[in-house]
Amino acid sequence: EAGVTQFPSHSVIEKGQTVTLRCDPISGHDNLYWYRRVMGKEIKFLLHFVKESKQDESGMPNNRFLAERTGGTYSTLKVQPAELEDSGVYFCASTLLGGMNTGELFFGEGSRLTVL
Amino acid sequence: GENVEQHPSTLSVQEGDSAVIKCTYSDSASNYFPWYKQELGKRPQLIIDIRSNVGEKKDQRIAVTLNKTAKHFSLHITETQPEDSAVYFCAARYIQGAQKLVFGQGTRLTINP
């Protein structure tokens, strides 16, 4: 069975440009999370989808970030326009169960974003 | 607020020795504490977890302890091996509002042969 897949693995863009990251969760996993790790810091929560609905987007840094999950399958995270401080590794994770019975989070390999 | 503190940020031990990584959390209602291991260039993967109704859990060379009163939990790796070298992340599930895992800053563990 395929795990969580993310694309691209690495993106280098200039400040002011737009980047779209994609995540394909494990088939059947309703819960999809986006996290970000800036160099040397914690893996920081961005948002949580349950199917196509945003359950919690309290971690989104600002309105330059837009996440979607149309149809409740794959998700995209768009950064527009990108700033230097957006550089980091963006992880997607999925899990079958949510709420109090949340099980293991299955992570993708991450998309490394470098903004120059 | 939602916060998990993890120490140390880097740890270097001799092969065969033990390694201990410690985390503290702020939400007393947290009830689930997983540990993830991220090898270089790979995805974070769950290695062990503990729920708030137990104080200790062991799986071969790794163990996790939880002190709910003090709001801290620790990862213990015994008889370390070179393949234990990785970045380790602790996490706590926060219950307030929509539930999510909040991660610590990570510990880079290096096992010296």
Side-chain angles (χ1 to χ4, degrees):
Chain A
E1 179 182 340
V4 177
T5 57
Q6 292 187 244
F7 182 83
S9 57
H10 192 188
S11 180
V12 181
I13 62 173
E14 293 192 350
K15 175 182 171 180
Q17 291 186 319
T18 298
V19 64
T20 299
L21 310 177
R22 172 171 169 145
C23 169
D24 286 77
I26 292 173
S27 178
H29 281 193
D30 288 341
N31 293 274
L32 185 151
Y33 301 81
W34 283 98
Y35 283 85
R36 175 174 74 175
R37 189 179 191 220
V38 173
M39 176 79 78
K41 297 197 174 181
E42 75 272 24
I43 300 176
K44 191 171 176 62
F45 170 83
L46 296 179
L47 87 160
H48 169 206
F49 283 100
V50 177
K51 297 185 180 178
E52 68 275 10
S53 299
K54 292 176 184 175
Q55 185 79 4
D56 180 359
E57 52 184 332
S58 61
M60 295 288 264
N62 49 61
N63 60 9
R64 296 185 294 102
F65 289 74
L66 175 64
E68 295 181 319
R69 194 184 181 194
T70 307
T73 55
Y74 71 91
S75 175
T76 58
L77 179 64
K78 182 164 72 173
V79 185
Q80 178 184 30
E83 297 289 344
L84 299 178
E85 63 265 25
D86 300 333
S87 296
V89 180
Y90 290 77
F91 288 104
C92 176
S94 70
T95 184
L96 182 60
L97 299 173
M100 295 294 287
N101 294 316
T102 300
E104 176 181 355
L105 270 187
F106 293 87
F107 279 87
E109 294 192 338
S111 291
R112 180 177 295 278
L113 174 63
T114 302
V115 183
L116 303 177
Chain B
E2 304 163 350
N3 192 41
V4 175
E5 293 289 332
Q6 181 172 348
H7 299 281
S9 56
T10 60
L11 179 61
S12 183
V13 301
Q14 288 299 118
E15 182 177 352
D17 288 350
S18 295
V20 180
I21 303 170
K22 299 182 179 182
C23 291
T24 59
Y25 60 98
S26 56
D27 182 6
S28 57
S30 292
N31 61 1
Y32 175 65
F33 308 90
W35 286 86
Y36 283 79
K37 174 184 180 183
Q38 185 183 17
E39 297 179 56
L40 189 62
K42 296 188 177 180
R43 68 192 72 206
Q45 290 190 299
L46 179 72
I47 55 171
I48 194 168
D49 56 17
I50 191 167
R51 298 182 188 274
S52 58
N53 56 345
V54 297
E56 184 174 358
K57 183 177 178 180
K58 190 173 182 179
D59 182 3
Q60 299 183 342
R61 296 186 297 106
I62 59 172
V64 57
T65 58
L66 171 64
N67 183 328
K68 283 192 66 181
T69 303
K71 291 190 285 188
H72 68 68
F73 56 113
S74 301
L75 177 71
H76 304 252
I77 306 174
T78 58
E79 300 172 23
T80 52
Q81 300 170 3
E83 55 264 36
D84 294 330
S85 293
V87 179
Y88 291 80
F89 294 94
C90 63
R93 181 166 66 207
Y94 276 75
I95 309 301
Q96 304 303 324
Q99 297 175 28
K100 56 181 175 279
L101 285 183
V102 177
F103 286 84
Q105 298 90 334
T107 296
R108 181 174 297 280
L109 174 63
T110 303
I111 308 301
N112 300 311

